[in-house]
Amino acid sequence: GDSVTQMEGPVTLSEEAFLTINCTYTATGYPSLFWYVQYPGEGLQLLLKATKADDKGSNKGFEATYRKETTSFHLEKGSVQVSDSAVYFCALSGGDDKIIFGKGTRLHILP
Amino acid sequence: NAGVMQNPRHLVRRRGQEARLRCSPMKGHSHVYWYRQLPEEGLKFMVYLQKENIIDESGMPKERFSAEFPKEGPSILRIQQVVRGDSAAYFCASSPGTGMNDEQFFGPGTRLTVL
């Protein structure tokens, strides 16, 4: 079945460092891909998405490009802030209305 | 426009009791999804409902769990005779149901603790 694999955390970076969180997927067909962010004690918020190959999703300085050839959707940000500390989930939707999530990557940003 | 509402935010139950979790979708949304998040895990799909219909319950445990989304009122996830392994965060999401790959909007979750 469909699945998502993302790098394990926690990831600890200093403020203004470059961030990459790797995500690869397995799916039949052409899924939509998502990154969600979960701040402490809160629900998930959609961070960005891409619906077809080579699409780039972007929001709040974060970017991810849908790479069909490598089945990847890595999350990047050029300069992280302390407020970016959260858990990040890579996810896919194969069109059957359920979202399949990775296990999440906890990110700590040090001032 | 209020977001997805879930209550209670925290629920404590003893083994053998019943847990009822409520979800009010965003205004105008007719599709509801329930997900479970175990500690240090991602969210796992449980069930997808439209008003008065269960569309997909492939992620629901076969026993003790049930869900409904009545014509009026919130969606309810019901867990009977809870066990310690049911301790988790339960998230509800809603979508407008206008087409494929509608964005799902998540509520803040209910954190269930079974003593």
Side-chain angles (χ1 to χ4, degrees):
Chain A
D2 295 355
S3 66
V4 174
T5 302
Q6 60 184 104
M7 64 189 286
E8 292 191 18
V11 173
T12 302
L13 295 171
S14 297
E15 204 166 20
E16 299 182 3
F18 184 86
L19 168 71
T20 300
I21 301 178
N22 290 337
C23 171
T24 57
Y25 67 90
T26 303
T28 54
Y30 303 96
S32 294
L33 302 176
F34 309 89
W35 277 100
Y36 283 85
V37 58
Q38 184 180 30
Y39 297 102
E42 298 184 12
L44 274 70
Q45 301 174 26
L46 179 64
L47 181 60
L48 53 85
K49 68 178 181 182
T51 58
K52 61 183 187 298
D54 300 325
D55 267 3
K56 179 188 282 187
S58 61
N59 186 24
K60 298 181 182 180
F62 291 89
E63 292 183 341
T65 301
Y66 190 143
R67 301 282 186 207
K68 188 169 182 295
E69 63 276 14
T70 54
T71 62
S72 65
F73 193 54
H74 304 321
L75 182 68
E76 296 181 336
K77 186 174 184 182
S79 176
V80 292
Q81 306 299 314
V82 172
S83 58
D84 294 327
S85 298
V87 182
Y88 292 80
F89 293 94
C90 186
L92 70 81
S93 174
D96 61 354
D97 293 294
K98 69 181 72 163
I99 297 178
I100 296 172
F101 289 87
K103 290 190 174 184
T105 303
R106 187 175 298 276
L107 175 65
H108 294 290
I109 306 300
L110 304 175
Chain B
N1 188 8
V4 177
M5 310 280 283
Q6 289 188 250
N7 67 81
R9 293 291 306 274
H10 300 275
L11 182 61
V12 178
R13 285 288 177 265
R14 296 190 181 280
R15 280 179 296 169
Q17 292 184 319
E18 179 179 286
R20 281 185 181 239
L21 288 63
R22 293 175 186 75
C23 169
S24 296
M26 287 180 69
K27 187 175 181 181
H29 286 192
S30 59
H31 294 205
V32 165
Y33 314 79
W34 286 93
Y35 294 83
R36 177 166 63 175
Q37 183 181 30
L38 294 170
E40 304 302 320
E41 295 282 329
L43 279 70
K44 295 283 199 285
F45 169 81
M46 299 180 76
V47 63
Y48 162 37
L49 309 104
Q50 296 176 19
K51 286 281 188 184
E52 299 184 283
N53 282 306
I54 296 175
I55 307 302
D56 182 349
E57 56 182 347
S58 59
M60 287 279 270
K62 293 289 184 280
E63 297 177 347
R64 301 188 297 107
F65 284 71
S66 62
E68 62 177 9
F69 189 17
K71 187 176 180 181
E72 301 290 338
S75 175
I76 306 285
L77 179 68
R78 183 183 178 205
I79 311 171
Q80 296 179 288
Q81 299 176 321
V82 295
V83 300
R84 289 223 172 99
D86 297 333
S87 295
Y90 292 83
F91 289 94
C92 169
S94 73
S95 72
T98 55
M100 296 274 280
N101 291 324
D102 276 340
E103 180 179 341
Q104 294 182 21
F105 294 81
F106 283 80
T110 294
R111 281 160 178 78
L112 172 65
T113 301
V114 179
L115 301 177

